[in-house]
Amino acid sequence: MKLNRKLNMGMVGGGPGAFIGEVHRRASRMDGQIQLVSGAFDINPRKSKQQGKELMLPSRRVYRNYQEMIEKEFKLPDGERIDFVVITTPNNWHFPIAKDFLEAGFHVMCEKPMTFNVAEAKQLKKLVQKSRKVFGLMHNYTGYPMVKLAKDLVRGGEVGKIRKVVVQYPQGWLATPIEKTGQQQAAWRTDPKQSGGAGCMGDIGTHAENLSEYITGLKIKEICADLSIFVKGRRLDDDGNCLLRFNNGARGILHASQISIGEENNLAIWIYGEEKSLEWHQEHPNYLYVKAPDGPEQVWKRGNDYVGAASPAAGRATRLPSGHPEAFFEAFANNYVNFADTVRAKMTRTKPDPLALDFPNVDDGLRGMLFIETVLASTKSKKKWTAFKK
Ligand code: NAD
């Protein structure tokens, strides 16, 4: 059975002035597989309606809140109602919304960090298993072709046994207390009731953690963490430095910061193996650097046939020829394409292309929440080295 129509997407969050909801709207439609048909876009019902108008959605498909959305969408005929929801609210809402949509029988795409705490993440994993629905998590940095190439080079033995991983995510936008000026994105991120137990480490440290485990295929086993709050009056960490031990014996350094003045989104990773090293920068994402001890550094460039030949996943995640840069939107879209193909396969009871299963899921979300709690426990502990929570 074939499904000869676009998948219907509903959105929760992404109201007027919101950041990531609009990125999802653009990325999800990039490949013509998905259309936005409904939403509960804002915590304020009036603003939800306003957003729906701006998006030119029929007013009956724009809801005052997500509970009304579930109730009304559920009653619509198959093909008209949403097939899945994307959750782009602050962190404290991810779990209740994901739970209710899964229980009503909808597939879910969710923003990171997956939940508010580990207890919710464990419960969500069980719910996903029970519901047999598809659950995607938007760790968008694993959607870049050159990240997929790095992963496949590691799997193919190119770098040899990994000895050391250095991963960083410094930003500078919270170097002053802009949350006190009413800046929307800063306000909830620095509020423990909306953000969770961690600030910077939850917001962007989890991206670094996810990227390191995705490329290396290793698992972080122990962490020695030192979180700081530099801005006076702030209640959550705005900077953090961690030493890591991986399950193969490799060592690592992970640092994340939102007070590093001048830094924008300087996510980068260095992987040092017994044979070669890899280096990738999010701000220059079309290049992967490969270094050997006995020759000049190689620069692999996205869009060339040799990339797809070495990594079918990277080839599949590429739209434009080399030299025409692809970046943030395309990486989101790559997660959407794989998610959508997997949802389609589920809906038509067929087997998905194995490459389509390459998108972050509930297990990655649980790892992220365990990472946050391990970092928090290590920061508090005098012993420092703390086993990765289970
Ligand atoms: P934001 O403050 O810009 O937007 C949040 C939106 O959610 C607002 O419109 C708000 O009114 C709405 N909202 C809040 N509670 C709601 C509810 N119960 N029902 C409906 N709408 C509700 O926040 P943001 O920066 O877009 O971040 C949102 C989420 O996306 C966070 O979890 C964040 O961690 C994540 N995020 C991920 C990335 C990434 O690169 N993957 C980047 C930025 C943000």
Side-chain angles (χ1 to χ4, degrees):
M1 189 177 79
K2 236 182 137 200
L3 191 69
N4 272 325
R5 64 168 175 84
K6 294 189 183 202
L7 292 185
N8 291 332
M9 177 172 96
M11 175 174 279
V12 181
F19 168 40
I20 214 66
E22 183 57 26
V23 174
H24 281 264
R25 288 193 283 263
R26 287 167 194 249
S28 59
R29 65 175 179 251
M30 187 174 281
D31 295 282
Q33 296 280 320
I34 294 169
Q35 59 183 356
L36 177 70
V37 296
S38 87
F41 296 106
D42 203 283
I43 189 80
N44 175 333
R46 189 183 48 76
K47 287 192 181 171
S48 176
K49 291 280 180 189
Q50 177 194 334
Q51 186 65 55
K53 246 190 198 161
E54 276 168 29
L55 294 167
M56 292 181 255
L57 289 172
S59 63
R60 64 186 178 85
R61 303 294 292 274
V62 182
Y63 302 100
R64 295 170 57 79
N65 54 54
Y66 77 89
Q67 291 94 340
E68 183 195 9
M69 178 170 166
I70 294 175
E71 193 195 314
K72 300 228 167 113
E73 287 292 321
F74 188 74
K75 290 182 187 148
L76 294 173
D78 188 25
E80 189 182 347
R81 72 166 167 264
I82 58 167
D83 298 303
F84 76 94
V85 70
V86 53
I87 304 168
T88 66
T89 63
N91 310 343
N92 58 316
W93 284 103
H94 294 178
F95 175 72
I97 298 172
K99 176 176 181 292
D100 287 0
F101 275 92
L102 283 169
E103 285 179 345
F106 297 107
H107 304 283
V108 173
M109 171 65 91
C110 186
E111 260 304 344
K112 47 48 62 181
M114 186 170 77
T115 52
F116 194 67
N117 55 38
V118 166
E120 284 183 357
K122 288 185 172 166
Q123 215 182 319
L124 190 57
K125 183 172 168 173
K126 281 194 191 138
L127 275 166
V128 171
Q129 282 165 342
K130 198 171 144 210
S131 71
R132 307 176 66 83
K133 296 292 160 196
V134 182
F135 184 92
L137 185 75
M138 195 44 86
H139 269 305
N140 45 303
Y141 299 108
T142 59
Y144 285 86
M146 302 316 269
V147 167
K148 295 183 186 299
L149 172 66
K151 175 188 175 188
D152 284 338
L153 291 181
V154 168
R155 296 298 183 286
E158 182 81 7
V159 304
K161 187 180 173 216
I162 293 173
R163 290 171 163 165
K164 180 167 177 172
V165 178
V166 178
V167 62
Q168 63 171 37
Y169 199 155
Q171 299 178 331
W173 69 294
L174 291 177
T176 58
I178 57 167
E179 60 270 30
K180 293 197 177 135
T181 67
Q183 209 277 4
Q184 178 179 329
Q185 285 73 29
W188 71 258
R189 278 177 172 79
T190 54
D191 173 6
K193 290 207 178 88
Q194 297 182 76
S195 196
C200 170
M201 237 350 127
D203 195 33
I204 54 175
T206 49
H207 277 310
E209 166 267 330
N210 179 257
L211 185 68
S212 71
E213 292 196 344
Y214 177 79
I215 295 179
T216 64
L218 302 174
K219 297 278 181 225
I220 300 168
K221 225 179 87 186
E222 278 181 286
I223 301 180
C224 170
D226 184 24
L227 297 190
S228 307
I229 302 175
F230 282 107
V231 171
K232 224 171 139 208
R234 197 166 269 164
R235 286 173 296 165
L236 291 174
D237 55 285
D238 48 25
D239 185 87
N241 303 303
C242 305
L243 295 177
L244 311 173
R245 287 178 182 157
F246 288 88
N247 59 343
N248 76 334
R251 300 303 202 245
I253 299 172
L254 181 156
H255 73 94
S257 176
Q258 291 177 320
I259 52 86
S260 296
I261 291 173
E263 299 293 354
E264 294 173 332
N265 280 285
N266 196 358
L267 171 66
I269 188 162
W270 292 259
I271 290 157
Y272 300 104
E274 286 180 353
E275 314 281 334
K276 285 185 187 171
S277 309
L278 301 179
E279 178 178 342
W280 181 78
H281 294 260
Q282 193 272 152
E283 292 183 352
H284 306 280
N286 291 279
Y287 308 103
L288 178 73
Y289 302 93
V290 181
K291 302 170 210 185
D294 53 358
E297 180 171 327
Q298 286 184 347
V299 186
W300 291 55
K301 299 182 179 180
R302 187 208 52 78
N304 287 288
D305 289 346
Y306 58 74
V307 172
S311 167
R316 177 180 157 94
T318 298
R319 290 171 187 75
L320 289 170
S322 59
H324 293 307
E326 291 182 1
F328 198 66
F329 285 121
E330 286 86 352
F332 271 74
N334 288 334
N335 280 349
Y336 266 110
V337 167
N338 287 349
F339 172 81
D341 279 2
T342 306
V343 169
R344 266 176 207 284
K346 195 83 164 190
M347 288 168 75
T348 54
R349 295 173 203 273
T350 51
K351 263 204 158 147
D353 179 337
L355 287 176
L357 296 171
D358 179 19
F359 61 91
N361 61 25
V362 75
D363 293 318
D364 301 291
L366 177 57
R367 289 289 297 168
M369 296 315 299
L370 291 167
F371 169 76
I372 292 171
E373 291 208 356
T374 311
V375 168
L376 290 171
S378 168
T379 291
K380 280 198 202 119
S381 125
K382 286 219 161 59
K383 188 177 115 254
K384 296 315 276 183
W385 278 108
T386 306
F388 204 94
K389 302 253 175 207
K390 288 201 173 129

